[in-house]
Amino acid sequence: MKILAIETSCDETCAAIVEGTKIWSNVVWSQIDLHKGFGGVVPSIAKRAHEEKIDWVVNKALVTDVDAVAVTVGPGLAIALEVGIRKAKELASKWNKPLVAVNHIEGHVLSGLTPEVKFPAMALVVSGGHTELIYAEKIGQYKIVARTMDDALGESLDKAARMLGLGYPGGAMLEKKAEGGNAKAYPLPLPMKGRETERAFSYSGLKTAMWRIVNQLINSSVNQLSEQQIKDLAAGYQDMAFKHVVRVSKKTLEDFPVKDLLVGGGVAANKELRKRLAEMAEELRFSVWFPAKGLYGDNAAMVGIAAGYKAEKGLYEANIDAVDREPRARIDEVFKWRE
Ligand code: KG4
Ligand code: ZN
C-alpha cells in the first residue's frame, strides 16, 4: 500500500510517499533560515512558511498514485500542525482515500525499523524537543521509561553552540568544531554521575558549567574565544552530553528484556553519538538500528512508515472531519488507538 504522508509539526514542511519501508519520495523544505535570527522556532513564522510551501512539497513528492493519506497530528506546534492536517484532509476527501493520523515521536521511533528488528525493543529518541527511552512492547504499544528532567539533548547542544557563537541550530556545527578539540581541556561535569538508576536525563547542570567557563574565558581574554578554545569546549560539551546519554541508555537496556535498540531524531545524525551507541551495543551484545540518511531529522517518510503499520490493521480515521491537532500527544497513548 502506497501512502502519501505529510509532516508540519515544527519547522520543516515535509511530504513523502512510502510503501512499507520502501521510500518512493521524501521531500523536506527546511525553514531554518527563517528562524535563525530568532535563535529558535517562531510558531507564527513556521505556520506561514508551511502554508506557502505545503503545495510545493506535496506536488514534488507525488511521484505515483497513492492508496491512503497520512499526517502528523502531534506532538508539535499547534498552528504548524494545523497546516499539514488541513492539507491531508483536503487530499483524502478529494481523492476519496482513507486518512491515517500519526504520532510524530512514533515516526522517529520507527524511522530506523527493518524486518530484522525484534520486539520487545527499546527506542532512543534524541531530537530538539525530546530525549526519551521508549520501551516498545510491539509496534504501536509504547511506554516511556526515561525522559529528560529539563532540556532535550538537541536543545542542549543548540544552547552550547550559541554560547560559543556558532549560530542556530547548533548541533551539527558543534559536532564539526568538536572534531578538532580536546575534550579534556576544561572541567565540564558528567550529568547525574552515579545516578543512572534514576533513569532520567538532565542537561541543565552541564549547561550552567559551560556558561561559567565561557564567561571566565571571555573576561580573562580579549572578549572573544579563540578558535582552539571553541573547539575544546565543543568537544568537552559533546563528550559529557553523549557520555550521559550512553550511561543512562546502558543502565535502562540492562533492566529490560530487549536485544534491539532503535535510535531516531535529529541528534542521531551525529557520527560521534552513533559510534558510541554502536560500541555500547557491541559491549552489551545488542543490535542497534539507525535511520537511513535523511531520516534522522524531521521528515514525512518516517510518518508514512508509522502510518503503514496502522493501515495494515485498518486503523484509519473513521471521521475525517473530526481529525484535529494534538499538540501534546503522547506516544504512550498511541496503543489506545490500536486496541
Ligand atoms: O528531530 P529534529 O530534526 O527536530 C525535532 O523534532 O526536534 O532534531 C533537531 C535537533 C536540533 O537540536 C539539532 O541541533 C540537532 O537535532 N542536530 C544535531 C545534528 N544535526 C541536527 N545534533 C548533533 N549533531 C548533529 N549532526
Ligand atoms: Zn522530530
Side-chain angles (χ1 to χ4, degrees):
M1 164 179 278
K2 293 188 198 120
I3 299 177
L4 168 70
I6 295 175
E7 150 69 46
T8 61
S9 68
C10 192
D11 61 346
E12 256 99 35
T13 317
C14 320
I17 293 183
V18 171
E19 186 175 10
T21 50
K22 174 182 159 68
I23 296 166
W24 282 78
S25 60
N26 188 23
V27 183
V28 179
W29 172 265
S30 174
Q31 307 175 358
I32 280 173
D33 287 345
L34 300 176
H35 301 284
K36 242 177 197 159
F38 300 93
V41 179
V42 183
S44 57
I45 294 177
K47 173 192 156 79
R48 206 174 322 124
H50 284 313
E51 283 171 343
E52 279 170 17
K53 279 291 164 189
I54 189 78
D55 285 329
W56 184 83
V57 298
V58 167
N59 289 334
K60 199 160 172 359
L62 274 177
V63 292
T64 175
D65 288 347
V66 296
D67 308 296
V69 179
V71 65
T72 302
V73 292
L77 301 169
I79 59 174
L81 288 162
E82 264 175 15
V83 180
I85 293 171
R86 204 181 312 128
K87 179 52 65 183
K89 284 174 161 181
E90 178 196 313
L91 293 175
S93 303
K94 190 166 109 188
W95 298 336
N96 199 21
K97 302 287 181 199
L99 184 72
V100 187
V102 175
N103 178 294
H104 178 83
I105 302 302
E106 185 176 25
H108 279 306
V109 167
L110 300 181
S111 58
L113 194 67
T114 75
E116 294 113 284
V117 178
K118 288 177 284 305
F119 288 87
M122 192 66 76
L124 171 67
V125 175
V126 278
S127 70
H130 294 263
T131 304
E132 280 158 9
L133 279 159
I134 298 161
Y135 177 67
E137 180 73 40
K138 56 185 181 185
I139 294 172
Q141 192 155 333
Y142 310 103
K143 187 175 174 354
I144 299 174
V145 291
R147 53 159 56 92
T148 178
M149 298 194 292
D150 36 66
D151 292 345
L153 176 55
E155 181 185 8
S156 165
L157 298 173
D158 292 344
K159 285 178 179 171
R162 202 158 149 197
M163 287 183 220
L164 300 177
L166 300 180
Y168 172 86
M173 290 180 252
L174 202 75
E175 176 179 26
K176 264 212 185 81
K177 293 287 178 194
E179 281 164 16
N182 169 12
K184 297 199 165 47
Y186 298 99
L188 286 158
L190 175 65
M192 300 187 70
K193 192 173 178 190
R195 292 167 59 198
E196 287 76 16
T197 47
E198 291 177 31
R199 276 209 230 116
F201 301 102
S202 170
Y203 288 101
S204 63
L206 180 58
K207 179 181 68 186
T208 308
M210 175 87 153
W211 183 238
R212 260 195 222 116
I213 294 172
V214 168
N215 274 318
Q216 271 167 11
L217 289 173
I218 288 178
N219 290 335
S220 64
S221 67
V222 280
N223 284 330
Q224 208 179 329
L225 296 174
S226 72
E227 184 62 16
Q228 195 56 47
Q229 285 172 329
I230 291 174
K231 286 179 176 172
D232 291 346
L233 285 165
Y237 196 94
Q238 212 187 242
D239 182 40
M240 288 302 151
F242 291 170
K243 218 169 241 166
H244 177 44
V245 177
V246 171
R247 284 174 75 126
V248 176
S249 301
K250 194 171 167 187
K251 180 75 198 93
T252 308
L253 285 162
E254 284 167 349
D255 289 349
F256 283 83
V258 294
K259 281 283 165 215
D260 291 72
L261 175 67
L262 284 155
V263 183
V267 186
N270 189 294
K271 283 200 204 83
E272 179 63 25
L273 179 62
R274 291 209 302 277
K275 181 173 149 249
R276 293 188 190 196
L277 288 170
E279 281 166 5
M280 176 193 75
E282 205 177 320
E283 190 190 326
L284 295 180
R285 296 177 179 280
F286 263 78
S287 299
V288 63
W289 308 91
F290 298 110
K293 201 165 178 273
L295 299 196
Y296 294 113
D298 288 347
N299 65 85
M302 68 181 193
V303 175
I305 292 170
Y309 291 101
K310 292 187 83 172
E312 235 173 50
K313 295 187 178 156
L315 292 167
Y316 301 110
E317 294 303 308
N319 179 1
I320 288 186
D321 291 337
V323 175
D324 202 359
R325 62 193 193 180
E326 296 178 28
R328 295 182 180 280
R330 293 171 52 145
I331 190 159
D332 44 1
E333 287 174 354
V334 164
F335 74 96
K336 284 190 194 152
W337 315 343
R338 304 203 163 184
E339 290 310 306

